[in-house]
Amino acid sequence: MLDLKTKSEYERRIKGVLITEEEIAREVKRAGAEIDKIYDGRPILLVSILKGSFVFLADICRAVSVPSEVAFMCAKSYYEGTVSSGVVKITMDLDMDISGYHVVIIEDIVDTGRTLSDIIRILSARNPLSMHVVTLLDKPSRRLVDFKADISLFTIPDRFVIGYGLDCGEYYRNLPYIAEYEE
Ligand code: IMP
Ligand code: MG
């Protein structure tokens, strides 16, 4: 929880809109069509990495038309304010066997690349039929582990962002747009 004593302090930290609702909607539609094209009618399992991807998942699952199931997994990268500690922990695992599924991982942002490389290593060992990664945002300048998503909706500079599922101290996930955070 952030120490935000007043609503004006909460609002002051929303520095400015980086990606609008309209831009998000347009790119979600495009990504949905790309997923449909990859799987060509075959059923998929959308694996949402919580908490950050819950808003994106809700939109992307309605933008695909191949038959789809959804599943959730919770990964926590420990943060001191806006700085990552580098420790990634799976705090809630999938409750199903993914062998026999075409898995599509839905992530909010690829920053250092640690979370997704760990998740891919863990999930590949469970022998899915195939695996693709879709990320809403990509901050390639911050990469510490070599990692590239198959589909990335927006590439952003090295700024801490909030909204559309992304938080700072658990706040701001409900903003309908993506904004830069004011320290
Ligand atoms: P990575 O393991 O460094 O790639 O970071 C992954 C996680 O850090 C993401 O799934 C987010 O939860 C969080 N994260 C990284 N950058 C930001 C940001 O700018 N805003 C909010 N969360 C972020
Ligand atoms: Mg996340």
Side-chain angles (χ1 to χ4, degrees):
M1 208 206 309
L2 280 180
D3 186 24
L4 293 178
K5 297 217 166 46
T6 61
K7 179 128 191 288
S8 67
E9 175 61 12
Y10 170 85
E11 283 166 353
R12 187 191 65 77
R13 298 202 195 181
I14 305 170
K15 193 168 176 183
V17 179
L18 201 64
I19 306 171
T20 66
E21 275 187 80
E22 292 72 24
E23 288 168 323
I24 296 169
R26 194 186 61 219
E27 284 304 296
V28 165
K29 206 168 160 199
R30 185 192 60 77
E34 212 174 321
I35 294 169
D36 282 346
K37 201 166 155 208
I38 293 173
Y39 294 98
D40 191 24
R42 283 171 296 177
I44 58 173
L45 175 68
L46 296 166
V47 174
S48 162
I49 311 301
L50 296 174
K51 297 179 188 172
S53 74
F54 81 103
V55 178
F56 182 37
L57 185 268
D59 282 343
I60 202 84
C61 75
R62 289 176 291 174
V64 295
S65 56
V66 292
S68 66
E69 291 179 42
V70 296
F72 300 92
M73 191 168 174
C74 196
K76 203 163 163 46
S77 29
Y78 289 89
Y79 268 82
E80 281 295 336
T82 61
V83 182
S84 170
S85 67
V87 181
V88 179
K89 210 178 148 206
I90 307 295
T91 55
M92 184 188 82
D93 203 345
L94 294 172
D95 61 356
M96 61 188 287
D97 177 4
I98 59 166
S99 64
Y101 279 96
H102 291 288
V103 169
V104 184
I105 298 175
I106 303 297
E107 175 64 305
D108 54 352
I109 184 166
V110 186
D111 188 32
T112 64
R114 282 188 186 117
T115 307
L116 276 182
S117 15
D118 273 16
I119 286 175
I120 296 235
R121 185 176 42 76
I122 294 166
L123 297 187
S124 317
R126 300 179 188 174
N127 300 311
L129 294 176
S130 69
M131 199 155 59
H132 283 86
V133 174
V134 180
T135 186
L136 172 69
L137 304 173
D138 189 6
K139 273 196 231 173
S141 62
R142 296 247 317 154
R143 212 65 103 243
L144 294 175
V145 178
D146 186 32
F147 181 83
K148 198 172 178 300
D150 299 291
I151 300 177
S152 165
L153 279 62
F154 301 95
T155 299
I156 60 165
D158 182 9
R159 304 277 151 68
F160 197 83
V161 293
I162 49 174
Y164 196 71
L166 292 109
D167 72 307
C168 185
E170 297 300 327
Y171 284 116
Y172 304 105
R173 295 191 194 274
N174 58 326
L175 298 178
Y177 48 82
I178 293 161
E180 203 178 316
Y181 180 74
E182 175 77 65
E183 299 281 344

